[in-house]
Amino acid sequence: MKPRLLLMITVMLLCAAAPSQARRRRHSHAAPPPPPRYTWEGGGINLSPVLVQPYHLPTDTDPAQALYLRKMNLEEGLFVHSTRSITKRDVDTPELFVLDITQSLEGGFDSVNLYDRGILSWGLMQWSARSGSLTQALVYVKRRLLATHRRKVWEKTFVANGLDVDANNLIVYGKPATTPEQIRVAFRGTAKVSQFDPALATHWATTMARAGRQPDIASLEVDYASNIVQSLMHRRLDGLPFRPKGRPGVTLADLAGDNPYDQALVFALWTNNPRHSLEYVADAARAAHSVSEYDDPSQWPPGTFSDALMRRCQTSRFGNWRQRANIIQARALFVRTAAPGDLSPFEAQYQVVLAARKAKHLQDIEIRDAALASKQAAADAKAAAEAAVAANQEKGLSDAAAIWETAKSRARDAMAGAIPADPDPAIVPLTSHSIH
């Protein structure tokens, strides 16, 4: 009985193992996953070393620079330069184009700033703890990670290092940080400006930089920032009477039109100072409207809003707005002459659009010039015809006068007997005798 029992058990085990082996064979022939679409996607947890650097205010030997930095609300602190960012080949949408320019001004996925009034700023848009934008960004990241079953990424990256968020606040080591003073103490170790605990500040600089280097979190930074770009561009501006045809109010997208560099400039200003950026936009819109008879921005002369906003930035009292405007203006000029290989996919496509617009503009000029030439030719022909008619009329009158003078001369001569009395039949007056 024992050999038979052993045989039955062996057969049962083989039957149970067969489906799993078939599944393994089936999965071994499955197609490999597609490569990541963007450079920040893919890969596992990134624990590469973080270089935290000190930031020092200049000494009083440069008073002009010191005054500038005080106006910028800078202080002693730490920072981390970005090592992860959107690359040129990633930029294939309008939102990524705007964010690519933004990161050149603000920083990449893992940029950290602990040396200004924002107290702690992080990421593509330098979301700051003081303003509350860092809380909003982290709430979005946390919710998306939890909703897509990636809780471990959040817990290992943030919670294990002492940081969490609820719906409205940062939670640092289990305590909500709700005021600027509490936030400053939580991340810098003291409420005094320009003072900080080096060990504590280094810990947070390292934690946030490592967070930005994780592929899952970098992707969510892009998603969140892209949503902000779209929301801002379609935000209705109060206080401007201009309106596109068919709907009330005007948006930033209406003013910028289909010029991505205008959109990027507006977003770059808004990221730095939301309230004043919209004031600059309103001033530029009024200046552009003043040279047009239309309330619809799409009917304004091309480039009027862009030029007005650029002029406004050149007279800005904000420290780096002139620099931001010049950087974006240089990008806008570069795309017109650059080789396609030197451009991002989006800018290469926009270069084609610019070329098509230029060709159409030249064609419109040719059509207009041809129409004007045709109209002028018709006018010249009409004038020539009228001149010919007038000349003929004048010649007819002149001939009639000459014939009459000849008749009078012959009549006088006949009466004087100088010539025969037989008159020229062509000038014989009509009488009843000549009719009969």
Side-chain angles (χ1 to χ4, degrees):
M1 294 293 294
K2 288 184 178 180
R4 182 178 295 177
L5 180 60
L6 182 60
L7 178 62
M8 292 175 62
I9 293 173
T10 302
V11 171
M12 292 174 63
L13 290 174
L14 291 173
C15 292
S20 63
Q21 293 174 354
R23 284 195 297 272
R24 282 197 296 272
R25 286 195 299 270
R26 185 167 63 250
H27 289 307
S28 66
H29 296 290
R37 178 179 177 183
Y38 299 113
T39 57
W40 62 80
E41 297 177 331
I45 297 295
N46 186 321
L47 298 177
S48 57
V50 175
L51 177 61
V52 180
Q53 302 181 65
Y55 177 84
H56 297 295
L57 289 173
T59 62
D60 292 336
T61 56
D62 189 351
Q65 180 70 1
L67 177 61
Y68 165 77
L69 294 176
R70 281 196 295 272
K71 288 183 177 179
M72 294 290 290
N73 298 296
L74 302 183
E75 58 181 293
E76 297 283 325
L78 303 174
F79 68 94
V80 178
H81 275 309
S82 174
T83 63
R84 302 290 188 277
S85 60
I86 299 170
T87 66
K88 183 170 65 176
R89 77 174 182 86
D90 294 324
V91 181
D92 57 2
T93 67
E95 291 78 20
L96 284 174
F97 170 75
V98 171
L99 293 179
D100 178 39
I101 290 184
T102 300
Q103 76 172 4
S104 70
L105 303 170
E106 300 291 344
F109 297 122
D110 56 342
S111 294
V112 183
N113 168 1
L114 279 144
Y115 60 80
D116 64 15
R117 67 179 301 176
I119 303 175
L120 171 62
S121 302
W122 169 75
L124 279 177
M125 294 178 55
Q126 286 296 281
W127 297 292
S128 75
R130 180 187 177 94
S131 69
S133 60
L134 178 61
T135 303
Q136 297 167 5
L138 292 179
V139 166
Y140 178 86
V141 170
K142 180 179 180 179
R143 287 176 176 172
R144 292 298 302 152
L145 289 174
L146 269 56
T148 52
H149 312 292
R150 293 177 286 174
R151 178 184 292 272
K152 287 185 178 180
V153 176
W154 175 262
E155 291 181 347
K156 288 183 177 181
T157 306
F158 293 104
V159 178
N161 289 293
L163 182 62
D164 202 349
V165 289
D166 59 20
N168 301 303
N169 301 300
L170 296 168
I171 300 175
V172 185
Y173 294 120
K175 297 181 180 179
T178 59
T179 67
E181 290 75 15
Q182 291 174 343
I183 294 171
R184 183 175 283 275
V185 170
F187 292 115
R188 294 176 60 96
T190 176
K192 296 181 179 179
V193 176
S194 263
Q195 297 185 17
F196 63 96
D197 179 342
L200 180 64
T202 299
H203 166 75
W204 289 120
T206 303
T207 296
M208 298 307 296
R210 283 233 172 94
R213 294 178 183 180
Q214 309 315 312
D216 290 337
I217 295 175
S219 295
L220 293 175
E221 282 191 59
V222 172
D223 291 346
Y224 182 64
S226 296
N227 291 337
I228 295 175
V229 173
Q230 294 176 2
S231 176
L232 179 65
M233 289 301 119
H234 292 90
R235 175 176 175 175
R236 179 175 168 179
L237 299 175
D238 297 327
L240 293 179
F242 327 129
R243 60 189 62 208
K245 185 178 180 180
R247 61 181 173 83
V250 65
T251 66
L252 288 171
D254 294 326
L255 296 174
D258 53 3
N259 186 332
Y261 297 94
D262 285 354
Q263 296 178 12
L265 177 55
V266 169
F267 193 75
L269 302 181
W270 182 87
T271 301
N272 187 255
N273 190 315
R275 181 171 67 86
H276 286 97
S277 68
L278 296 181
E279 292 178 359
Y280 275 43
V281 167
D283 290 344
R286 294 188 185 96
H289 180 260
S290 67
V291 298
S292 173
E293 58 184 4
Y294 298 100
D295 286 338
D296 185 350
S298 66
Q299 301 298 318
W300 294 352
T304 50
F305 173 76
S306 177
D307 293 343
L309 184 59
M310 187 63 63
R311 288 194 302 271
R312 187 68 181 88
C313 289
Q314 295 301 328
T315 59
S316 173
R317 63 185 178 86
F318 292 100
N320 62 0
W321 282 24
R322 184 182 306 174
Q323 178 186 9
R324 291 180 177 228
N326 290 337
I327 290 173
I328 295 173
Q329 186 180 45
R331 287 278 295 263
L333 295 174
F334 178 71
V335 75
R336 297 179 181 275
T337 58
D342 296 332
L343 301 172
S344 67
F346 177 81
E347 285 184 291
Q349 183 180 6
Y350 185 66
Q351 189 182 61
V352 174
V353 172
L354 290 177
R357 286 181 187 168
K358 183 177 181 179
K360 185 179 184 304
H361 179 65
L362 294 175
Q363 183 181 25
D364 291 343
I365 292 176
E366 290 179 0
I367 294 173
R368 183 196 63 189
D369 290 346
L372 290 174
S374 177
K375 184 177 180 181
Q376 185 62 43
D380 292 344
K382 182 179 179 181
E386 291 175 347
V389 171
N392 289 335
Q393 290 177 347
E394 183 177 355
K395 185 175 184 300
L397 292 174
S398 176
D399 291 346
I403 292 172
W404 176 246
E405 290 298 328
T406 301
K408 289 196 296 181
S409 175
R410 286 179 177 273
R412 285 195 299 269
D413 292 343
M415 292 176 63
I419 62 172
D422 294 333
D424 187 342
I427 57 174
V428 174
L430 293 180
T431 64
S432 56
H433 176 73
S434 62
I435 294 176
H436 295 288

